[in-house]
Amino acid sequence: MLRGRGNRGGAVDQRSLVRRSTRITFALTFSLAVVLSCAGCQVEILHDLDEPQANSVLAALQKSGISAKKERVASGSKATYTVAVSRDEAPRAWQLLRQHNLPRRKQPGLGEIFGAKQSLVPSSEEQRALLRHALAGEITHTLQSVDGVREARVHIVLPRRDPLAAPDAKKPRPRASVLLKVAGSAPIGIDDVRKLVAGGVEGLAKKDVEVVIANSKVGAKRTTLAKVTTASVGPFQIAAGSRGGLLATLIVGVLLILVLALGLMFFALRYRALKRLRAEETSAGRARSADIESSLSLLGRSFDKSRSQGG
């Protein structure tokens, strides 16, 4: 009777040990998954970009050794893009984009302005304002397409002729002003800028175009940022500043895997030992039961023999 209780107690201890080992294994696996997932955590730094803006941002970041990724976000018939970098690289990425004036603000051109829904009967002032804004946007696009131009601002003045003026009165001339921010030496001359602007506005003369070219401070900072080198971690190329964090994460992951493997090995050996012990106890109990049955059988036969002799 006591032996049966002992066997049941051993079975309960064995099931309890298996449950504990399962909990520990799950906890270690979950911890490893959390650590490895945090190693690849990325933060979104820009959103609602068109594809040219996303490509320019991506090129600037990767040129400075910052690993970045763009993702397409579809919303109906319109698609926008987001740019994400690793959490550790986010502050440096923001600083770099601010220095490079990225993403560049998109100026609406003729298609965007006159393609938008306007009032049913626009006034002459509205038409003049829309035309001025659209022309400035088109010229801005052209100037920003020149390599080395960081930012371009164009202002156009289209004077309104007085309808009560005499026919031979001098017609007011349109005027324009241009501000260019460049890195280093100017990639385009002032005279070329005047030609380009004057050729895009009807009635605008070169002499009525004022051009200011400002040397941005990005030049010196860009040289410093461009010196950021990449480092190798196995077959991967990452920013040098991220190498230490990635190696630490990988080491922690490997240690967790080793702890998990050792834990599983220990509990497997323990389970095998308990199973063998239980089998031995079961076989021993069966042997004792067989001995008891044999003894009872002998006693029964002796008792029957003694009764037959006494009769």
Coordinates of all heavy atoms in Angstrom, one line a residue, residues 51-115:
E51 N 7.7 59.5 -54.4 CA 8.8 58.6 -54.7 C 10.1 59.4 -54.9 O 11.2 59.0 -54.4 CB 8.5 57.7 -55.8 CG 9.6 56.6 -56.0 CD 9.1 55.5 -57.0 OE1 8.1 55.7 -57.7 OE2 9.8 54.4 -57.0
P52 N 10.2 60.5 -55.7 CA 11.4 61.2 -55.8 C 12.0 61.7 -54.5 O 13.2 61.7 -54.2 CB 11.1 62.4 -56.8 CG 9.9 61.8 -57.5 CD 9.1 61.0 -56.6
Q53 N 11.1 62.2 -53.6 CA 11.5 62.7 -52.3 C 12.1 61.5 -51.5 O 13.2 61.7 -50.8 CB 10.4 63.3 -51.5 CG 9.9 64.7 -52.1 CD 8.7 65.2 -51.3 OE1 7.8 64.4 -51.0 NE2 8.7 66.5 -51.2
A54 N 11.4 60.4 -51.5 CA 11.9 59.2 -50.7 C 13.3 58.8 -51.3 O 14.2 58.4 -50.5 CB 10.9 58.1 -50.8
N55 N 13.4 58.8 -52.6 CA 14.7 58.3 -53.2 C 15.8 59.3 -52.8 O 17.0 58.8 -52.5 CB 14.6 58.2 -54.7 CG 13.7 57.1 -55.1 OD1 13.5 56.1 -54.4 ND2 13.1 57.2 -56.3
S56 N 15.6 60.6 -52.8 CA 16.7 61.5 -52.5 C 17.0 61.4 -51.0 O 18.2 61.5 -50.6 CB 16.2 62.9 -52.8 OG 15.1 63.3 -52.0
V57 N 16.1 61.2 -50.1 CA 16.4 61.0 -48.7 C 17.2 59.7 -48.5 O 18.1 59.6 -47.8 CB 15.0 60.9 -47.9 CG1 15.3 60.5 -46.5 CG2 14.4 62.3 -47.9
L58 N 16.7 58.6 -49.2 CA 17.4 57.3 -49.1 C 18.8 57.4 -49.5 O 19.8 56.9 -48.9 CB 16.6 56.3 -49.9 CG 16.7 54.8 -49.4 CD1 16.1 54.7 -48.0 CD2 16.1 53.9 -50.4
A59 N 19.1 58.1 -50.6 CA 20.4 58.2 -51.2 C 21.3 59.0 -50.2 O 22.5 58.7 -50.0 CB 20.4 58.9 -52.5
A60 N 20.8 60.1 -49.6 CA 21.6 60.9 -48.7 C 22.0 60.1 -47.5 O 23.1 60.2 -47.0 CB 20.8 62.2 -48.3
L61 N 21.0 59.4 -46.9 CA 21.3 58.6 -45.7 C 22.3 57.5 -46.0 O 23.2 57.3 -45.2 CB 20.0 58.0 -45.2 CG 19.0 59.0 -44.6 CD1 17.7 58.3 -44.2 CD2 19.5 59.8 -43.4
Q62 N 22.1 56.8 -47.0 CA 23.0 55.7 -47.3 C 24.4 56.1 -47.7 O 25.4 55.5 -47.4 CB 22.4 54.8 -48.4 CG 21.2 54.0 -48.0 CD 20.6 53.2 -49.1 OE1 21.0 53.3 -50.3 NE2 19.6 52.3 -48.8
K63 N 24.5 57.3 -48.3 CA 25.8 57.9 -48.6 C 26.6 58.2 -47.4 O 27.8 58.2 -47.4 CB 25.6 59.1 -49.5 CG 26.9 59.7 -50.1 CD 26.7 60.8 -51.0 CE 28.0 61.3 -51.6 NZ 27.7 62.5 -52.6
S64 N 25.9 58.5 -46.3 CA 26.5 58.9 -45.0 C 26.7 57.7 -44.1 O 27.0 57.8 -42.9 CB 25.8 60.0 -44.3 OG 25.8 61.2 -45.1
G65 N 26.4 56.5 -44.6 CA 26.6 55.3 -43.8 C 25.4 54.9 -42.9 O 25.6 54.1 -42.0
I66 N 24.2 55.5 -43.1 CA 23.0 55.2 -42.3 C 22.2 54.3 -43.2 O 21.7 54.6 -44.2 CB 22.3 56.5 -42.0 CG1 23.2 57.4 -41.1 CG2 21.0 56.1 -41.2 CD1 22.5 58.7 -40.8
S67 N 21.9 53.1 -42.6 CA 21.0 52.1 -43.3 C 19.6 52.6 -43.2 O 19.1 52.7 -42.1 CB 21.2 50.7 -42.7 OG 20.4 49.8 -43.3
A68 N 18.9 52.7 -44.3 CA 17.5 53.2 -44.3 C 16.7 52.3 -45.2 O 17.2 51.6 -46.1 CB 17.5 54.7 -44.7
K69 N 15.4 52.4 -45.0 CA 14.5 51.6 -45.8 C 13.3 52.4 -46.1 O 12.7 53.1 -45.2 CB 14.1 50.3 -45.1 CG 13.1 49.4 -45.8 CD 12.8 48.2 -45.0 CE 12.0 48.5 -43.7 NZ 11.6 47.3 -43.0
K70 N 12.8 52.3 -47.4 CA 11.6 53.0 -47.7 C 10.5 52.0 -48.0 O 10.7 50.9 -48.5 CB 11.8 53.9 -49.0 CG 11.8 53.1 -50.3 CD 11.8 54.1 -51.5 CE 11.8 53.3 -52.8 NZ 11.8 54.2 -54.0
E71 N 9.3 52.4 -47.6 CA 8.1 51.5 -47.8 C 7.0 52.3 -48.5 O 6.7 53.4 -48.2 CB 7.6 51.0 -46.4 CG 8.6 50.0 -45.7 CD 8.0 49.4 -44.5 OE1 6.9 49.8 -44.1 OE2 8.7 48.6 -43.8
R72 N 6.3 51.6 -49.3 CA 5.2 52.1 -50.1 C 3.9 52.0 -49.3 O 3.6 50.9 -48.8 CB 5.1 51.5 -51.5 CG 4.1 52.1 -52.4 CD 4.1 51.4 -53.8 NE 3.3 52.1 -54.7 CZ 2.0 51.7 -54.9 NH1 1.5 50.7 -54.2 NH2 1.3 52.3 -55.8
V73 N 3.2 53.1 -49.2 CA 1.9 53.0 -48.5 C 0.8 53.4 -49.5 O 0.8 54.6 -50.0 CB 1.9 54.0 -47.3 CG1 0.5 54.0 -46.5 CG2 3.0 53.6 -46.3
A74 N -0.1 52.5 -49.8 CA -1.1 52.8 -50.8 C -2.4 53.2 -50.1 O -2.8 52.7 -49.1 CB -1.4 51.5 -51.6
S75 N -2.9 54.3 -50.6 CA -4.2 54.9 -50.0 C -5.1 55.2 -51.2 O -5.0 56.3 -51.8 CB -3.9 56.1 -49.2 OG -5.1 56.7 -48.7
G76 N -5.9 54.2 -51.6 CA -6.7 54.4 -52.7 C -5.9 54.4 -54.0 O -5.1 53.5 -54.2
S77 N -6.1 55.4 -54.8 CA -5.3 55.5 -56.1 C -4.0 56.2 -55.9 O -3.2 56.3 -56.7 CB -6.1 56.2 -57.1 OG -6.5 57.5 -56.7
K78 N -3.8 56.8 -54.7 CA -2.6 57.6 -54.4 C -1.7 56.8 -53.5 O -2.1 56.1 -52.6 CB -3.0 58.9 -53.7 CG -1.8 59.8 -53.4 CD -2.2 61.0 -52.6 CE -1.0 61.9 -52.3 NZ -1.5 63.1 -51.6
A79 N -0.4 56.8 -53.8 CA 0.6 56.1 -53.1 C 1.7 57.1 -52.5 O 2.1 58.0 -53.2 CB 1.3 55.0 -53.9
T80 N 2.0 56.9 -51.2 CA 3.0 57.7 -50.6 C 4.1 56.7 -50.0 O 3.9 55.5 -50.0 CB 2.4 58.5 -49.4 OG1 1.8 57.7 -48.5 CG2 1.4 59.5 -50.0
Y81 N 5.2 57.3 -49.6 CA 6.3 56.5 -49.1 C 6.7 57.0 -47.7 O 6.6 58.2 -47.4 CB 7.5 56.6 -50.1 CG 7.2 56.0 -51.4 CD1 6.5 56.6 -52.4 CD2 7.7 54.6 -51.6 CE1 6.3 56.0 -53.6 CE2 7.4 54.0 -52.8 CZ 6.7 54.7 -53.8 OH 6.5 54.1 -55.0
T82 N 7.2 56.0 -46.9 CA 7.8 56.3 -45.6 C 9.2 55.9 -45.6 O 9.6 55.0 -46.4 CB 7.0 55.6 -44.5 OG1 7.2 54.2 -44.7 CG2 5.6 56.0 -44.5
V83 N 10.0 56.5 -44.8 CA 11.5 56.2 -44.6 C 11.7 55.9 -43.2 O 11.3 56.6 -42.3 CB 12.4 57.3 -45.1 CG1 13.8 57.0 -44.9 CG2 12.1 57.7 -46.6
A84 N 12.3 54.7 -42.9 CA 12.6 54.3 -41.6 C 14.1 53.9 -41.4 O 14.7 53.4 -42.4 CB 11.7 53.0 -41.2
V85 N 14.6 54.2 -40.2 CA 16.0 53.8 -39.9 C 16.0 53.1 -38.6 O 15.0 53.1 -37.9 CB 16.9 55.1 -39.9 CG1 17.0 55.8 -41.2 CG2 16.5 56.0 -38.8
S86 N 17.1 52.5 -38.2 CA 17.2 51.9 -36.9 C 17.1 52.9 -35.8 O 17.4 54.1 -36.0 CB 18.5 51.1 -36.8 OG 19.6 52.0 -36.8
R87 N 16.6 52.5 -34.6 CA 16.4 53.4 -33.5 C 17.6 54.1 -33.1 O 17.6 55.3 -32.8 CB 15.7 52.7 -32.4 CG 15.2 53.5 -31.3 CD 14.5 52.7 -30.2 NE 13.4 51.9 -30.8 CZ 12.2 52.5 -30.9 NH1 11.9 53.7 -30.5 NH2 11.2 51.7 -31.4
D88 N 18.8 53.4 -33.1 CA 20.0 54.1 -32.7 C 20.5 55.1 -33.7 O 21.2 56.1 -33.3 CB 21.1 53.0 -32.6 CG 20.8 52.0 -31.4 OD1 20.0 52.4 -30.5 OD2 21.3 50.9 -31.5
E89 N 20.1 55.0 -35.0 CA 20.6 55.9 -36.0 C 19.7 57.1 -36.2 O 20.0 58.0 -37.0 CB 20.8 55.2 -37.3 CG 21.9 54.1 -37.3 CD 23.3 54.7 -37.3 OE1 23.4 56.0 -37.5 OE2 24.3 54.0 -37.1
A90 N 18.5 57.1 -35.6 CA 17.5 58.1 -35.8 C 18.0 59.5 -35.6 O 17.8 60.4 -36.4 CB 16.2 57.8 -35.1
P91 N 18.6 59.8 -34.4 CA 19.0 61.2 -34.2 C 20.0 61.7 -35.2 O 19.9 62.8 -35.7 CB 19.7 61.1 -32.8 CG 19.1 59.9 -32.1 CD 18.8 58.9 -33.2
R92 N 21.0 60.8 -35.6 CA 21.9 61.3 -36.6 C 21.3 61.4 -38.0 O 21.6 62.3 -38.8 CB 23.1 60.3 -36.7 CG 24.3 60.8 -37.5 CD 25.5 59.9 -37.2 NE 25.4 58.7 -37.8 CZ 25.9 58.4 -39.1 NH1 26.5 59.4 -39.7 NH2 25.8 57.2 -39.6
A93 N 20.3 60.6 -38.3 CA 19.5 60.7 -39.5 C 18.7 62.1 -39.6 O 18.7 62.8 -40.6 CB 18.6 59.6 -39.7
W94 N 18.1 62.4 -38.5 CA 17.3 63.7 -38.5 C 18.3 64.9 -38.7 O 18.0 65.8 -39.4 CB 16.6 63.8 -37.2 CG 15.3 63.0 -37.1 CD1 14.4 62.8 -38.1 CD2 14.9 62.2 -36.0 NE1 13.4 62.0 -37.7 CE2 13.6 61.6 -36.4 CE3 15.3 62.0 -34.7 CZ2 12.9 60.8 -35.6 CZ3 14.5 61.2 -33.9 CH2 13.4 60.6 -34.3
Q95 N 19.4 64.8 -38.0 CA 20.4 65.9 -38.1 C 20.9 66.0 -39.6 O 21.0 67.1 -40.1 CB 21.6 65.7 -37.2 CG 22.6 66.8 -37.2 CD 23.8 66.5 -36.3 OE1 23.9 65.4 -35.8 NE2 24.7 67.4 -36.2
L96 N 21.2 64.9 -40.2 CA 21.7 64.9 -41.5 C 20.6 65.5 -42.5 O 21.0 66.3 -43.4 CB 22.1 63.5 -42.0 CG 22.5 63.3 -43.4 CD1 23.9 63.9 -43.6 CD2 22.6 61.8 -43.8
L97 N 19.4 65.1 -42.4 CA 18.4 65.5 -43.3 C 18.1 67.0 -43.1 O 17.9 67.8 -44.0 CB 17.1 64.8 -43.0 CG 17.1 63.3 -43.4 CD1 15.8 62.6 -43.0 CD2 17.4 63.1 -44.8
R98 N 18.2 67.5 -41.8 CA 18.0 68.9 -41.6 C 19.2 69.7 -42.2 O 19.0 70.8 -42.8 CB 18.0 69.2 -40.1 CG 17.7 70.6 -39.7 CD 17.3 70.8 -38.2 NE 18.4 70.3 -37.4 CZ 18.2 69.2 -36.6 NH1 17.1 68.4 -36.7 NH2 19.2 68.8 -35.9
Q99 N 20.4 69.2 -42.2 CA 21.5 69.9 -42.8 C 21.4 70.0 -44.3 O 21.8 70.9 -44.9 CB 22.8 69.3 -42.3 CG 23.1 69.5 -40.8 CD 24.3 68.6 -40.4 OE1 24.9 67.9 -41.2 NE2 24.7 68.8 -39.2
H100 N 20.9 68.9 -44.9 CA 20.7 68.8 -46.3 C 19.4 69.4 -46.8 O 19.1 69.3 -48.0 CB 20.9 67.4 -46.8 CG 22.3 66.9 -46.7 ND1 23.1 66.8 -47.9 CD2 23.1 66.5 -45.7 CE1 24.3 66.4 -47.5 NE2 24.3 66.1 -46.2
N101 N 18.6 69.9 -45.9 CA 17.3 70.5 -46.3 C 16.5 69.4 -47.0 O 15.9 69.7 -48.1 CB 17.5 71.7 -47.1 CG 16.2 72.5 -47.3 OD1 15.4 72.5 -46.4 ND2 16.0 73.2 -48.4
L102 N 16.4 68.2 -46.5 CA 15.6 67.1 -47.1 C 14.5 66.7 -46.1 O 14.7 66.8 -44.9 CB 16.5 65.9 -47.3 CG 17.6 66.1 -48.4 CD1 18.5 64.9 -48.5 CD2 16.9 66.4 -49.8
P103 N 13.4 66.3 -46.6 CA 13.0 66.3 -48.0 C 12.7 67.7 -48.5 O 12.2 68.6 -47.8 CB 11.8 65.4 -48.1 CG 11.2 65.6 -46.7 CD 12.3 65.8 -45.8
R104 N 13.0 68.0 -49.8 CA 12.7 69.3 -50.3 C 11.2 69.6 -50.5 O 10.5 68.7 -50.9 CB 13.4 69.5 -51.6 CG 14.9 69.5 -51.5 CD 15.6 69.6 -52.9 NE 17.0 69.6 -52.8 CZ 17.8 69.7 -53.8 NH1 17.3 69.7 -55.0 NH2 19.2 69.7 -53.6
R105 N 10.8 70.7 -50.1 CA 9.4 71.1 -50.2 C 9.0 71.1 -51.7 O 9.7 71.7 -52.5 CB 9.1 72.4 -49.5 CG 7.7 72.8 -49.5 CD 7.5 74.1 -48.8 NE 8.2 75.2 -49.4 CZ 8.2 76.4 -48.9 NH1 7.5 76.7 -47.8 NH2 8.9 77.3 -49.5
K106 N 7.9 70.4 -51.9 CA 7.5 70.4 -53.3 C 6.6 71.6 -53.7 O 5.6 71.8 -53.0 CB 6.6 69.1 -53.6 CG 6.2 68.9 -55.0 CD 5.5 67.6 -55.2 CE 5.1 67.3 -56.6 NZ 4.4 66.1 -56.8
Q107 N 7.0 72.3 -54.7 CA 6.3 73.5 -55.1 C 5.3 73.1 -56.2 O 5.7 72.4 -57.1 CB 7.3 74.5 -55.7 CG 8.2 75.1 -54.7 CD 7.5 76.1 -53.7 OE1 6.4 76.6 -54.0 NE2 8.1 76.3 -52.6
P108 N 4.0 73.5 -56.1 CA 3.0 73.1 -57.1 C 3.3 73.8 -58.4 O 3.7 75.0 -58.4 CB 1.7 73.6 -56.5 CG 2.1 74.6 -55.5 CD 3.4 74.3 -55.0
G109 N 3.2 73.1 -59.5 CA 3.4 73.7 -60.8 C 2.1 74.0 -61.5 O 1.1 74.0 -60.9
L110 N 2.2 74.1 -62.8 CA 1.0 74.5 -63.6 C 0.0 73.4 -63.5 O -1.2 73.6 -63.4 CB 1.4 74.8 -65.0 CG 2.3 76.0 -65.3 CD1 2.8 76.0 -66.7 CD2 1.4 77.3 -65.0
G111 N 0.5 72.1 -63.6 CA -0.5 71.0 -63.6 C -1.2 70.9 -62.3 O -2.4 70.6 -62.2
E112 N -0.5 71.1 -61.2 CA -1.1 70.9 -59.9 C -2.1 72.0 -59.6 O -3.2 71.8 -59.0 CB 0.0 70.9 -58.8 CG 0.8 69.6 -58.7 CD 2.0 69.7 -59.7 OE1 2.1 70.7 -60.4 OE2 2.7 68.7 -59.9
I113 N -1.7 73.3 -59.9 CA -2.5 74.4 -59.6 C -3.8 74.5 -60.5 O -4.9 74.5 -60.0 CB -1.7 75.7 -59.7 CG1 -0.7 75.8 -58.5 CG2 -2.7 76.9 -59.6 CD1 0.1 77.0 -58.5
F114 N -3.6 74.4 -61.8 CA -4.7 74.6 -62.7 C -5.5 73.2 -62.8 O -6.6 73.2 -63.4 CB -4.3 75.1 -64.1 CG -3.8 76.5 -64.0 CD1 -2.5 76.8 -64.0 CD2 -4.8 77.5 -64.0 CE1 -2.1 78.2 -63.9 CE2 -4.4 78.8 -64.0 CZ -3.0 79.2 -63.9
G115 N -4.9 72.1 -62.4 CA -5.6 70.9 -62.4 C -6.5 70.7 -61.2 O -7.4 69.9 -61.2

